[in-house]
Amino acid sequence: MGIKRTSHSVYDTTYHLVWCPKRRRDIFKVQEIREYAEQLFVQICEEYDFEIVEMAVDVEHVHFLLPFHPKRSIGEVVRTIKSIS
C-alpha cells in the first residue's frame, strides 16, 4: 500500500469490499470450495491488475482489501469480480 505514482497521476486508493453469495448461504464451509474461491479471486485480480492486500474467506462471505488505479471505478471493479466469480 502507500502512494503510487504514474506518469500523470499520484494516488492511494484502497477499498474494503465484502462479497456475499446469494441469500448469504454458508457455501464456504466446505474446504474445497473455499480453496477454489481463493484461487479464483487471486486469478481474477492478477488478470485485471488489481492488487490484493488482504483477503479472508469466511463461512458466508469474502472480505477484500483492494487498491486499484483510479482509471477504474469502484463499480467496474466490483462488477468484474462478481461477474467472473
Side-chain angles (χ1 to χ4, degrees), residues 12-74:
D12 181 19
T13 57
T14 303
Y15 293 91
H16 177 229
L17 304 175
V18 179
W19 179 80
C20 302
K22 189 173 183 176
R23 297 188 189 111
R24 290 186 75 94
R25 292 187 178 158
D26 55 352
I27 63 171
F28 296 123
K29 74 175 154 184
V30 179
Q31 187 63 28
E32 292 85 21
I33 295 175
R34 179 183 296 224
E35 291 171 359
Y36 176 74
E38 287 179 12
Q39 292 172 359
L40 182 64
F41 291 130
V42 168
Q43 288 176 354
I44 292 168
C45 290
E46 286 177 354
E47 182 179 337
Y48 286 90
D49 200 27
F50 306 146
E51 175 188 349
I52 298 176
V53 175
E54 283 187 43
M55 179 176 62
V57 180
D58 204 5
V59 175
E60 60 183 25
H61 59 278
V62 180
H63 288 270
F64 292 102
L65 195 57
L66 193 71
F68 51 87
H69 195 280
K71 70 181 177 185
R72 299 181 187 259
S73 69
I74 185 69

Side-chain angles (χ1 to χ4, degrees), residues 66-83:
L66 193 71
F68 51 87
H69 195 280
K71 70 181 177 185
R72 299 181 187 259
S73 69
I74 185 69
E76 179 184 349
V77 172
V78 171
R79 184 173 45 252
T80 300
I81 293 171
K82 286 182 74 174
S83 67

